[in-house]
Structure formats: C-alpha cells, structure tokens
Amino acid sequence: MPLDTSAYSLALLRVDGRRWNELRRIHAQIRTQAAADGSSYLEMGHTKVMCVVNGPSEPGPRRGGVATGGGGGGGGGQSKNAEVAVNIVIAGFSSVDRKRRGRGDKQVFELQSTISQALAASLHTHLFPHSTINISLHVLSQDGSLLAALINAATLACVDAGIPMTDYVAACTAGSTSTYAANDEGADPLLDMNHQEEQELPGLTVATLGDSDRVAVLVCESRVQVSRLEGMLAVGVDGCKQVREILDRVVREKGIKMIQEGTVERGVGLNDMELD
Amino acid sequence: MPREAEPSANEKAFLLKALQDEQIRLDGREFDAYRPLELTFGDEYGVANVSLGKTKILAKASAEVTVPFADRPLDGIFTIATELSPMTAPHFEVNRPTETEVLLSRLLEKTVRRSGALDTESLCLVAGQKCWSVRVDVHVLSHDGNLTDAACFAVVAALRHFRKPDTSMENGVLTVYTPAEREPVPLGWLHSPFCVTWSFFGDEGETALLDADWMEEQVRVASVTISLNRHGEICQIAKLGGVPVEAVALLQCTSVALTKVKEFSTYLDSKLAEDAKRRDKGGFMAELRAENDRVVG
C-alpha cells in the first residue's frame, strides 16, 4: 500500500497536517443512552465508538464469545470479585472494506480480554462479589487507534455508571516516523496514529492509570528497533495524560450541566465549585 | 464446563510472602532465571520437543501443495495451530478454545507470522495456482506455566529444522521430488523471534519474575510478553491489562529480555548444528560412494 509518509521530513507535518506531538480531535459525551446504567460516545479523529455499561448486576446466563476478567475464580459469578464482561461489536460499515468477522474472531477476542483485564485492575471489583459488570462496545467507524478509543470509551462509561474506580484508564497510541527496516537514529516519535500511519509505521498502544507513569496496557504489534521503544513509550505515556485531562473535563462538564438542570442534587461539598 | 483448579489460599499466601519478604522463589531460582530449557529433534524433519522445567511442548511442521488465497496470489500459506487438549489439564476441552488458548495462538501468530520470520513469498510455486501451505501444530503435553515462551521456542525450532520437498518447474510442469530423488530443502527463513514473559507481583507490580511456573502464574497480578530477535528488533509486546506497572520497569524488562533472547538464539543454533552433524553420515566422501542411499534420516 503505497502511502506518502515519506514527506514528513520536508515540513515535519504528518499526512493529516499534524505535528509529531499532536493528538487528533477528541470529542466525547457521557450519558448518551437513557436505558443503560452508564454510556458514552467517543471520537478520536475519525475513530468513533460507543459504549454501554450495565451492572454491577446479578450474572445472567453465560453467552459464548465474551471475554471476562477480574473474577478470581472465574465463571458463574461465584467469585469474590465482580466479573468484567466485555463484548465488542465491530460494525460492517466501520472500515473501508467490509470484512465479515465470525463470532470466534481471535483478534476481537484479544481486544475484549485486554479491555476486561485493564478495567478489572482499576475498578473496585471487590465491592461487588457474585456480580457481573457488562460492558458492550460498538465500533462505528475505524481510523486507527481502535484499542485506545475502546479503552477510553469504556472508562467514561464506567464513570457514568458510578462504579468506584481508582482512576481513569486513559489510552493512546504512539509511533515512530521511520519504518522498521531503516535504522536511522533521527526518527521522530509520533503521537496518536491514524489508520494510514498504522499501516506503514511501527506503533504501540499505551494505557496508563490516571496521572501516573504506570502502564496498564502496552500492545505493540509491529517490528521496531528496541532502541526506539523508550521514545515511543515516553510520548505515549505523555499522550495518555493529555487524554486523561480531556476525559476528566468531559465528566466535569456533564456533572455541572446536570446540577444546573436540576437532574441531580448539588452535593454538600460542592458549594465552592463554580458552575460556569 | 470444568473449571481450572486453583491453588489454596494458604499456598498463595506462602508464595507471596516468600517472594516479597524473603525475595525467594519457591523453587529457589533467581528472579531472572529460566528453568532448564531442553530441545530435542525427532527423527523426522520438523519435529521439535521442548521442555522448560515440567512444561513440555511438541511442535511439528508439515507442508503440502495447495491453491493460494485469491487475494494473495504470490504468497504461500503459513498457519500455526495450537491445541490445548484435556491431556494438558482437565479443564481444557476439545473444540472449545479457552482464553489461554486463544491468547497463546494470537501471540504466536503475531510473533512468528506477522513479524515475517518465514518468507511466505518463497512458498509460492505457480502464481495464483500452486503454493506450499506450511503448518505448524503445537501440542502442549504438560502444562506447568509459561506456555508462551516454550511454545514460541518450539515453533521456531520446528520451522528452522523443517525441510520441504524440493521442486522444479520445467516447461510449465511442476515436479515435486521425493526425499529419495532430491534432498529436501529448508524454508526461507528471515529471522528468529523468541518470546520472553515477565510476571509481576505485589500491589503495584513491583516484583518482576521471568518464566513463572503454573503456581506463580495463578498468583501474578500482571504479565508482559515481549518478543524479540537477536538483532534487537521488537516483534511484539503484549501487556494485556492487569495491574499497572511503571513504564521504566517495562523498559528494563525489555533490555533483560534481549539478553535472554540472545541466549535462546545461540542455544537453538548450537542444537541445530548438532543435529545436522548427527544426520550427516560421513560427509562429502560418503556422498560420492556408489552405494550411497540418498535417504537421510
């Protein structure tokens, strides 16, 4: 697939006109679905995902193809910790080529399992024994950084559902401007890769917990020089902090709006908070 | 659906206390030490038997001529099939892939196949019509933790040991020679990736161990599998959730992993050379003898 990422060195601008350290536009909404316990809609550039969280609730009948994590003993909801069940639906119209994915698609299963285990470590699952938290994610449009967008959307929906958690799990991708074969030292790291860049350049997905440098998810699926990992990881972790700020702002704005509309009571500790 | 037997609360507590208070692993290994890794090749080409402590894995490579995929007429077909049968552990069932199995096969796929270790273009015989389909079957004979590293080593060993029948094209006629007619040829191999898995323990994942056994795998809070080759290229990193770990610790893990991968690489090379020597009966002078039987092995 011949794409023109080689022009980067001329103006230091990427194919979509961003600099190396710029995120794409992130637009997020929470509480989009009235019927669900928690819901969110997130856009990272042209990657658009929706998330619906139900639970913690009594576990229903088990269905196949749902990755679960967090429960110490696993199935049946008999464990001390709540089970985090993640289900991902990738819409047929989400990418350029309509790819039919069977129920047993391993790649989707891996995504589900990753999100489930990443959130299980941040959510306080020990507060809800014998129960299940159902997270269902819908991919409406794909343009790179899919795993990152899914993690961010799931985090927002969990916040909306009011499930106690340690901190936001914020994710983004990072890449490198040089292809894996070339061993040039002058390669710049890139933040937040789109689909074109993901096809051509090595990259990784990082998710960190809150403001810290602690990495919850690190997935790299391309060949890259080991010396370039440090730069990519640093840029990725830094990007996660920016993403966390954006997610936090979305949650706060929605909270303020709900107080102003009178949907919820103004909390006792919130008297000094500005509502504009 | 049978569930995996869990270690008891006492066993878990004992292991964690030994690790965190005494800095000792239950089997007395160093934190960054592997269990003894052993590799034996079968009599046939492409059979590798790997044991890592009590974990035992058999990988067998095979090849057949088929029609290539319509969207990739110039590429051969390469598949890795993993099977965790009830022989491995009672909770594995036939035809119902567990999470362990799916993640293992994805990991092998990313490490060996997507990193381009096998040159699939060299498997093409007639563009769009005939190609080799190379398949590696991974059988887990005994499960005592760290299946990924052992399975990856076994797959790479089996593929590098494997010889496919020689072929020739003359006037549009494709001939596949039996081993008696022509010596089989090795696969087009580009680089040898190996997996190294770190397991993390403690509330913040501050203790990192290499090559966790089954017991340690049950207690760990997170793990990261790093695939590298000896040229220092990362082929894949997978930290799929779990307790968050400091980014700096992950970088350190990667650099230690690189030294381990170099050891694996040297070990595999020496084993392959040893096996080649064993199969080479008498060298060039033996080849020249009139009564030479062309079948080797």
Side-chain angles (χ1 to χ4, degrees):
Chain A
M1 221 179 288
L3 295 169
D4 206 14
T5 49
S6 55
Y8 176 79
S9 55
L10 298 177
L12 299 182
L13 289 173
R14 291 151 71 176
V15 277
D16 50 6
R18 283 181 289 156
R19 304 252 175 226
W20 66 272
N21 59 352
E22 281 175 341
L23 287 171
R24 289 176 289 174
R25 188 184 79 112
I26 296 183
H27 168 76
Q29 282 171 273
I30 59 172
R31 194 153 290 191
T32 51
Q33 254 70 19
D37 290 332
S39 52
S40 67
Y41 171 77
L42 182 109
E43 291 177 9
M44 285 175 88
H46 292 301
T47 303
K48 298 171 187 173
V49 294
M50 272 178 72
C51 180
V52 170
V53 171
N54 276 303
S57 58
E58 208 176 313
R62 288 185 72 81
R63 283 173 302 151
V66 177
T68 58
Q78 295 303 309
S79 53
K80 283 188 299 182
N81 298 331
E83 208 178 355
V84 182
V86 178
N87 185 30
I88 298 177
V89 179
I90 298 183
F93 51 80
S94 64
S95 60
V96 180
D97 49 335
R98 213 169 237 281
K99 203 160 54 172
R100 185 166 286 278
R101 290 174 187 271
R103 258 197 334 125
D105 191 305
K106 286 180 181 166
Q107 202 183 343
V108 173
F109 189 90
E110 193 188 29
L111 288 176
Q112 289 174 350
S113 158
T114 306
I115 295 167
S116 155
Q117 287 180 41
L119 285 174
S122 170
L123 294 170
H124 289 190
T125 50
H126 62 277
L127 298 175
F128 311 101
H130 313 292
S131 46
T132 310
I133 300 165
N134 275 304
I135 301 179
S136 63
L137 287 150
H138 297 258
V139 179
L140 306 179
S141 166
Q142 294 188 61
D143 185 28
S145 308
L146 180 63
L147 176 60
L150 290 171
I151 291 175
N152 292 335
T155 304
L156 277 183
C158 285
V159 171
D160 184 30
I163 305 169
M165 57 201 293
T166 325
D167 206 331
Y168 293 88
V169 183
C172 76
T173 53
S176 184
T177 47
S178 146
T179 52
Y180 64 82
N183 192 13
D184 74 46
E185 291 301 316
D188 265 349
L190 297 177
L191 182 61
D192 195 14
M193 301 173 63
N194 62 23
H195 180 69
Q196 275 193 331
E197 288 167 334
E198 259 181 9
Q199 292 287 307
E200 267 208 356
L201 305 171
L204 45 80
T205 302
V206 199
T208 59
L209 184 71
D211 256 343
S212 66
D213 281 348
R214 293 169 57 206
V215 176
V217 175
L218 177 62
V219 178
C220 169
E221 299 193 335
S222 43
R223 242 167 100 183
V224 60
Q225 287 289 325
V226 76
S227 54
R228 225 167 279 154
L229 177 69
E230 190 175 347
M232 279 164 48
L233 194 58
V235 168
V237 168
D238 189 56
C240 289
K241 286 179 186 166
Q242 292 180 40
V243 172
R244 184 194 174 277
E245 287 304 309
I246 295 170
L247 299 185
D248 193 45
R249 204 182 316 139
V250 169
V251 171
R252 280 175 197 279
E253 275 169 10
K254 182 69 183 175
I256 289 170
K257 214 170 180 182
M258 282 163 68
I259 293 173
Q260 281 172 339
E261 286 170 354
T263 329
V264 285
E265 288 285 307
R266 190 189 176 106
V268 277
L270 293 177
N271 285 327
D272 51 342
M273 200 169 96
E274 282 178 42
L275 290 187
D276 44 22
Chain B
M1 194 164 68
R3 277 205 277 153
E4 189 171 11
E6 257 187 278
S8 69
N10 281 347
E11 282 177 300
K12 287 183 184 173
F14 180 64
L15 189 147
L16 286 177
K17 190 163 167 35
L19 260 187
Q20 275 159 358
D21 298 353
E22 314 283 334
Q23 309 281 313
I24 289 176
R25 287 170 85 160
L26 290 195
D27 52 6
R29 270 184 289 154
E30 295 289 317
F31 282 9
D32 59 351
Y34 266 79
R35 289 169 285 176
L37 176 70
E38 267 172 51
L39 167 68
T40 47
F41 292 110
D43 288 336
E44 245 179 291
Y45 279 122
V47 179
N49 214 329
V50 171
S51 70
L52 188 62
K54 280 190 215 153
T55 298
K56 288 192 170 48
I57 289 187
L58 179 87
K60 170 140 181 30
S62 50
E64 59 178 5
V65 178
T66 48
V67 182
F69 292 123
D71 54 338
R72 306 203 75 96
L74 296 176
D75 275 342
I77 301 172
F78 174 39
T79 45
I80 303 174
T82 44
E83 176 146 10
L84 295 175
S85 66
M87 175 169 67
T88 314
H91 70 278
F92 293 119
E93 285 177 88
V94 183
N95 289 332
R96 186 187 284 177
T98 53
E99 191 166 358
T100 328
E101 181 173 345
V102 176
L103 294 183
L104 175 66
S105 73
R106 268 290 288 169
L107 215 65
L108 290 177
E109 172 123 357
K110 284 194 281 187
T111 306
V112 184
R113 214 167 77 103
R114 286 189 43 152
S115 74
L118 180 66
D119 180 16
T120 48
E121 278 181 25
S122 71
L123 298 175
C124 177
L125 296 169
V126 185
Q129 290 173 29
K130 288 274 178 285
C131 72
W132 283 109
S133 162
V134 175
R135 176 190 168 99
V136 192
D137 287 279
V138 181
H139 296 277
V140 180
L141 307 180
S142 153
H143 180 6
D144 188 31
N146 205 5
L147 289 182
T148 37
D149 297 7
C152 181
F153 189 80
V155 167
V156 172
L159 283 168
R160 285 191 53 187
H161 187 247
F162 183 61
R163 302 282 185 274
K164 68 179 189 318
D166 199 7
T167 51
S168 72
M169 274 291 279
E170 270 168 44
N171 305 325
V173 180
L174 175 75
T175 323
V176 180
Y177 296 100
T178 61
E181 289 168 331
R182 277 198 195 177
E183 188 72 358
V185 290
L187 299 168
W189 193 251
L190 299 176
H191 69 111
S192 301
F194 297 99
C195 293
V196 175
T197 304
W198 287 91
S199 301
F200 298 98
F201 296 83
D203 290 337
E204 302 206 337
E206 60 273 1
T207 314
L209 301 188
L210 262 185
D211 186 28
D213 61 19
W214 182 81
M215 184 69 174
E216 286 163 341
E217 275 188 359
Q218 296 296 307
V219 183
R220 73 184 174 194
V221 293
S223 71
V224 59
T225 302
I226 304 164
S227 309
L228 296 141
N229 59 24
R230 70 186 164 88
H231 312 295
E233 282 172 333
I234 294 169
C235 301
Q236 173 274 125
I237 300 178
K239 183 185 184 301
L240 306 176
V243 163
V245 175
E246 284 293 335
V248 181
L250 286 174
L251 289 174
Q252 280 166 357
C253 288
T254 315
S255 60
V256 177
L258 183 57
T259 61
K260 293 290 166 191
V261 162
K262 284 179 179 158
E263 285 171 26
F264 285 157
S265 197
T266 341
Y267 178 68
L268 179 57
D269 286 347
S270 71
K271 278 286 176 184
L272 281 168
E274 204 176 280
D275 187 71
K277 209 168 170 186
R278 185 171 66 82
R279 283 165 192 276
D280 183 18
K281 299 187 188 76
F284 189 57
M285 284 311 288
E287 289 281 317
L288 289 177
R289 278 186 297 142
E291 66 273 24
N292 180 27
D293 56 334
R294 306 274 294 183
V295 190
V296 179

